[in-house]
Amino acid sequence: MAMRPCAAVSVLDRSAIEHPWDLAPEKARALQSRLAQHVVCADAIDPVGHIGGVDIGFEDGGDTTRAAVVVVKYSPEGPPFEVVEQVVHREPTRMAYVPGLLSFREVPAALGAFAKLETQPELVMVDGQGIAHPRRLGVASHLGLWLDLPTIGVAKSRLCGTHASVGEHRGDWTPLEHKGERIGAVLRSRVNVKPLYISPGHRISFDSALTWVVRCLYRTKLPEPTRLADRLASRRGPIN
DNA sequence: GCGACAG
DNA sequence: ATCTTGTCGC
């Protein structure tokens, strides 16, 4: 199977790129293809002291977008991890949900939340796909590119690609592929629960993406960073 | 043309 | 994602 060629390690100069967030679907798709060229799916990670979890929720019948970011202190001893910071950022929703264009709807708010963060994590896990996307630019990749941080896509369902059946034991996984390319892995994070779709977002390899997610698995289907962000985004968890 | 389709 | 109550199971 063809391994997806990764762009050379280089920092994208965001200030030099024309990037409106309210593009028409056709324009947005074209921009995704361009940006995907800058995604790096090889490890370029600093020592991980803190891990961030990101998720987006909506209010006012969808008129308001609510971004939640939770930062936990990583410990080699494993979870549970100490929560060191939680941020919620709200702003008007920019565009409707269109399959494949999720990042244009969620990344702006996520960036707003990161701007309010005091403790910047060295690794970020995002609720959604990384490169396991038709044009290889899921929300995790798009966000990672704009934050210039290593990110991992942790999705609860499939957007594209095919895969063999996944083993039933915790930790079992099978590769996810699309058009002859490896785009991620389907992971059984818990027994008797639908598997997770893991893919590199930016600045991380397939192996590391999977390894980090497994390291953050505790007692639920989702890894801790994403589980905590999910609770915060859906206003069920602590807003302390 | 007919389905599939992250959150 | 969100709208919504109770309910089955570990």
Side-chain angles (χ1 to χ4, degrees):
Chain A
M1 178 200 314
M3 220 43 187
R4 177 170 183 282
C6 295
V9 177
S10 63
V11 177
L12 210 201
D13 181 4
R14 287 90 84 201
S15 65
I17 288 187
E18 185 72 27
H19 193 324
W21 294 96
D22 54 355
L23 296 171
E26 195 45 47
K27 296 290 185 183
R29 295 189 187 94
L31 179 54
Q32 289 184 317
S33 295
R34 283 180 50 209
L35 295 178
Q37 303 281 144
H38 301 276
V39 171
V40 174
C41 47
D43 294 320
I45 313 170
D46 287 325
V48 179
H50 296 89
I51 301 178
V54 186
D55 189 34
I56 276 65
F58 297 89
E59 304 173 351
D60 309 327
D63 292 338
T64 299
T65 298
R66 180 181 58 251
V69 176
V70 175
V71 176
V72 302
K73 177 180 290 182
Y74 173 68
S75 167
E77 283 63 56
F81 302 125
E82 177 191 348
V83 175
V84 302
E85 193 175 350
Q86 303 185 61
V87 167
V88 171
H89 170 75
R90 276 169 242 261
E91 61 174 62
T93 298
R94 308 213 179 202
M95 55 180 267
Y97 168 69
V98 175
L101 299 182
L102 187 66
S103 62
F104 286 86
R105 177 174 164 82
E106 304 190 337
V107 171
L111 292 175
F114 269 88
K116 296 179 178 176
L117 223 49
E118 292 181 7
T119 306
Q120 291 299 317
E122 288 75 42
L123 177 63
V124 178
M125 296 188 7
V126 185
D127 189 306
Q129 316 288 350
I131 65 169
H133 174 281
R135 289 168 294 284
R136 309 293 181 262
L137 196 84
V139 299
S141 298
H142 205 157
L143 181 63
L145 216 44
W146 242 242
L147 290 174
D148 188 25
L149 279 179
T151 57
I152 299 172
V154 181
K156 299 183 291 297
S157 64
R158 184 193 69 89
L159 172 59
C160 71
T162 59
H163 63 84
S165 59
V166 193
E168 54 187 47
H169 301 298
R170 185 179 201 251
D172 283 349
W173 64 276
T174 189
L176 176 63
E177 36 190 277
H178 179 59
K179 293 185 174 179
E181 297 180 342
R182 170 87 189 278
I183 58 173
V186 187
L187 172 71
R188 185 74 69 185
S189 57
R190 294 295 285 172
V191 176
N192 293 321
V193 172
K194 291 202 308 176
L196 252 28
Y197 290 74
I198 311 301
S199 60
H202 183 47
R203 289 173 54 174
I204 192 167
S205 65
F206 288 100
D207 284 355
S208 295
L210 200 51
T211 297
W212 277 107
V213 169
V214 170
R215 280 176 182 156
C216 294
L217 248 27
Y218 188 40
R219 329 174 85 164
T220 58
K221 169 181 180 175
L222 299 176
E224 289 300 279
T226 292
R227 181 184 71 80
L228 294 168
D230 247 76
R231 287 180 25 168
L232 192 57
S234 62
R235 10 170 71 180
R236 282 178 297 110
I239 303 177
N240 301 323

